[in-house]
Amino acid sequence: MLVEIIFGASLLILMLVFFVQSMKLPFLIKNGLMGAGFFPRILIIILIALIVYYLVELILKRRRYPQKEPVLKSTVWQQCFLMVMMAVSLWAGDYLGMELTIGLFLLVTLVMVEKLSWVRAAIFSAAATVCIYFIFDVWLGLNLPKGILG
């Protein structure tokens, strides 16, 4: 349970870093429409609220049931790997572009953490990237960072 609390706290810190990074993007554009920073900030605020709720539940559960649970090394490895991948994605988003970074993040994490085959992970990652492109760039008209693609 301690590992879950440490992971949740690390995830909370990473979401706060994401929130600070999203402040670089405009929340609204000149004509009052949503800017590129609108959805990231809203989603990050929701994630922060969910993480805080999760951490409070873990702490309360730990106080009620103070028994020790064995920690699986594979679980710790997966959590650390996800944290590193999110931090790398945060850094790479400006250079590679948002869509490409999300696609690569999904591909690598699905193969390494979820143990999907490369083909299935590539199909899912490509479909998710195309959906993100159409939702944010085409339909909502948001200017997501393009990186090397722009």
Side-chain angles (χ1 to χ4, degrees), residues 28-48:
L28 297 173
I29 53 180
K30 292 178 184 175
N31 56 2
L33 295 175
M34 294 178 286
F38 182 80
F39 282 110
R41 284 187 214 155
I42 298 300
L43 292 175
I44 290 170
I45 289 170
I46 292 170
L47 283 172
I48 288 172

Side-chain angles (χ1 to χ4, degrees), residues 22-142:
S22 74
M23 298 302 278
K24 295 178 184 175
L25 301 171
F27 191 72
L28 297 173
I29 53 180
K30 292 178 184 175
N31 56 2
L33 295 175
M34 294 178 286
F38 182 80
F39 282 110
R41 284 187 214 155
I42 298 300
L43 292 175
I44 290 170
I45 289 170
I46 292 170
L47 283 172
I48 288 172
L50 290 172
I51 293 168
V52 168
Y53 173 76
Y54 176 71
L55 286 172
V56 168
E57 287 294 317
L58 278 177
I59 292 169
L60 293 176
K61 182 179 176 185
R62 187 171 183 192
R63 286 187 183 160
R64 279 184 256 149
Y65 309 106
Q67 57 190 338
K68 291 189 176 189
E69 299 174 7
V71 176
L72 298 175
K73 289 182 181 180
S74 63
T75 303
V76 174
W77 181 86
Q78 288 175 344
Q79 291 175 343
C80 291
F81 182 76
L82 283 172
M83 294 298 297
V84 169
M85 284 302 298
M86 284 195 279
V88 168
S89 296
L90 175 66
W91 171 78
D94 290 334
Y95 301 106
L96 298 178
M98 188 64 73
E99 290 95 356
L100 184 59
T101 302
I102 291 171
L104 290 173
F105 174 80
L106 283 173
L107 178 68
V108 172
T109 54
L110 286 173
V111 170
M112 299 299 288
V113 176
E114 293 297 323
K115 307 295 185 205
L116 289 180
S117 69
W118 281 98
V119 174
R120 290 180 72 192
I123 291 170
F124 181 82
S125 300
T129 303
V130 168
C131 289
I132 288 168
Y133 170 76
F134 278 108
I135 290 171
F136 291 104
D137 277 355
V138 176
W139 293 329
L140 295 175
L142 300 178

